[in-house]
Amino acid sequence: MPQQPLPHMLAPDRKPPLPGLTGIRTFLAIGILFFHYTPPHATYIRPMIEAGFTYIGCFLLISGFVLSYNYAHRADTLKAGRFYAARGSRLYPVYLLSLLVSLGMLHAEWMARSHGEFWTGFVLTPLLLQGWSPSLATFWNTVAWTLSTEAMLYLAFPFINRAKWWPKDSRKLLLLFLGLWCCELVLPITYMIFNPDHLQQIDRYSSGWWLRLYKYTPLAYLPIFMAGITLGRLNNAVALKDRTKLWMALGGGSFMVLCFYLAVPHLPYVLLHGGLLTPVFATLILGLTGVHWVSRAFGWGPMGLFGRASFCLYLLHFNLWNILHEHHVPERLHLTAWDPWLSYALILLASYLAYRWVERPVQGFLLTNYVYRTPNPALPASPAQTPLG
């Protein structure tokens, strides 16, 4: 029996899906999983894994692009309240699940922090506000700081989308994209110049109050989100042929891989984290919107499946890994020799089940009963109630 579409899929003016962008999320999410928990003997793919910290920027660029792709043409009719409810129906149930799964992590937070800091984090985190505090951004679920950023960006999107200053000319949109990319680099360049934390070497393991402020504060990611929106408008303004997009996908992907292997090891971490590769990601994103064999390959089979479950995979992977190993699951299953591949498989399975059993059904229920609910049509009056005449 064919699967019934969710109500939001039946909303008016819905654009065609972009399977290529769905599939690339699988690559990004698994890349972040490997970045946090690197598999052994990963010699040949290690440069791509060690560049995993750049994937967050690509996710946010895709987020702005997809929102612009779907809503730019109906900016004046988009109701902010309905938009917030629709986005929240997708994000918050899985986010809440990630916190419930991670309740055991609160003991570690209690032992590591002052009581005042613990209770502040305990209140801010369910409200998606922890990212605004450099010291509490990674509280409870380390990777969930990005949800603070997503929440702020989604709150701003309806107002950004309906702004009257958006150019329609493709050249002006391209210049605006490049300008936003330059704005994105201002903060990391400023940090590199002044080094307010006085760190001798800055890499993924470095920590400092100002560095955490730069890495986790939602406002720092506004330029890349705006660049994604601009990219979506540029895609709508320029009718590129699918053959051109194929070469963009191949060229952008190849250049991205070359950057990971040849350039990333020699470039400042702060600059890379701050969006130095944004134009490369943008080229790949535009290329994957075309109808060609590369986008079909990214949208096919497991790539498409786990792309749809990538939000669950991203939010659940960090603490699920800790839970599996704190409770010695591989040892209890007598499968230690198969780890970490066993852990990867269990995390992927849990993410898919969370998508099928939590994200999709809860979102469908909320959209059907609250977001896109239409009033019941008035019943015709009975003959006894119909006035004469």
Side-chain angles (χ1 to χ4, degrees):
M1 183 176 179
Q3 194 173 41
Q4 294 296 319
L6 290 175
H8 71 287
M9 297 176 180
L10 304 176
D13 300 323
R14 186 77 179 178
K15 290 289 195 74
L18 300 171
L21 295 188
T22 300
I24 196 65
R25 287 189 176 99
T26 303
F27 172 84
L28 297 173
I30 292 179
I32 291 172
L33 167 62
F34 284 173
F35 174 72
H36 287 135
Y37 302 106
T38 303
H41 314 299
T43 305
Y44 297 109
I45 62 170
R46 186 171 293 277
M48 299 183 69
I49 293 172
E50 292 181 348
F53 62 90
T54 66
Y55 297 171
I56 296 296
C58 190
F59 264 126
L60 293 174
L61 193 67
I62 293 174
S63 182
F65 178 91
V66 170
L67 290 179
S68 181
Y69 172 79
N70 285 321
Y71 294 110
H73 64 292
R74 48 192 172 116
D76 294 332
T77 59
L78 178 63
K79 296 181 179 179
R82 178 170 287 188
F83 172 80
Y84 297 149
R87 301 312 301 171
S89 70
R90 176 176 178 261
L91 299 183
Y92 201 79
V94 178
Y95 178 64
L96 183 59
L97 173 66
S98 76
L99 297 183
L100 293 175
V101 168
S102 308
L103 283 174
M105 302 301 168
L106 288 177
H107 179 261
E109 296 286 2
W110 176 264
M111 299 301 294
R113 300 179 185 272
S114 68
H115 292 179
E117 193 174 41
F118 173 87
W119 289 114
T120 302
F122 186 80
V123 171
L124 291 181
T125 302
L127 298 176
L128 301 172
L129 296 174
Q130 74 274 31
W132 294 93
S133 168
S135 60
L136 295 172
T138 54
F139 186 89
W140 199 336
N141 183 355
T142 298
V143 298
W145 63 267
T146 55
L147 269 291
S148 293
T149 298
E150 289 278 6
M152 182 206 72
L153 298 176
Y154 287 158
L155 285 173
F157 176 75
F159 305 99
I160 296 172
N161 192 44
R162 70 169 64 111
K164 301 301 181 184
W165 47 260
W166 282 105
K168 293 182 172 56
D169 181 74
S170 58
R171 288 172 296 182
K172 292 180 180 178
L173 284 167
L174 180 59
L175 288 173
L176 178 59
F177 174 85
L178 294 174
L180 289 165
W181 176 47
C182 292
C183 291
E184 188 183 355
L185 296 176
V186 168
L187 194 58
I189 290 173
T190 302
Y191 185 91
M192 289 174 59
I193 293 172
F194 293 100
N195 189 11
D197 292 312
H198 307 293
L199 300 174
Q200 296 297 319
Q201 182 178 353
I202 304 174
D203 55 26
R204 60 179 288 193
Y205 301 107
S206 301
S207 183
W209 193 90
W210 289 102
L211 183 62
R212 290 177 65 86
L213 179 71
Y214 149 67
K215 287 175 62 173
Y216 300 130
T217 301
L219 282 175
Y221 295 93
L222 183 59
I224 194 169
F225 182 71
M226 293 279 291
I229 296 173
T230 307
L231 192 66
R233 288 176 173 263
L234 180 62
N235 179 70
N236 294 338
V238 181
L240 295 175
K241 295 180 179 179
D242 288 329
R243 186 175 182 83
T244 302
K245 290 190 174 184
L246 169 62
W247 286 110
M248 291 178 71
L250 291 172
S254 300
F255 192 71
M256 179 186 73
V257 173
L258 285 174
C259 286
F260 290 162
Y261 279 84
L262 302 178
V264 167
H266 308 289
L267 292 172
Y269 168 82
V270 173
L271 204 56
L272 288 163
H273 195 286
L276 186 63
L277 298 181
T278 293
V280 182
F281 291 141
T283 304
L284 177 61
I285 289 168
L286 276 181
L288 289 175
T289 62
V291 181
H292 47 71
W293 64 268
V294 175
S295 60
R296 285 193 292 269
F298 271 103
W300 176 82
M303 288 293 287
L305 186 151
F306 284 107
R308 291 186 289 275
S310 60
F311 180 62
C312 296
L313 175 57
Y314 174 77
L315 272 186
L316 293 172
H317 80 274
F318 196 90
N319 282 352
L320 275 182
W321 178 282
N322 291 333
I323 291 169
L324 287 172
H325 291 85
E326 285 176 5
H327 291 85
H328 307 287
V329 172
E331 290 88 342
R332 293 184 180 187
L333 294 175
H334 305 290
L335 294 172
T336 308
W338 293 91
D339 211 43
W341 305 105
L342 173 66
S343 298
Y344 297 145
L346 291 175
I347 289 170
L348 287 170
L349 176 62
S351 302
Y352 175 70
L353 294 178
Y355 168 72
R356 288 298 301 269
W357 293 352
V358 178
E359 180 181 337
R360 187 177 176 89
V362 174
Q363 181 189 18
F365 173 81
L366 294 174
L367 291 174
T368 301
N369 293 280
Y370 298 100
V371 182
Y372 291 114
R373 183 180 180 182
T374 56
N376 293 327
L379 296 175
S382 67
Q385 296 169 320
T386 304
L388 300 174

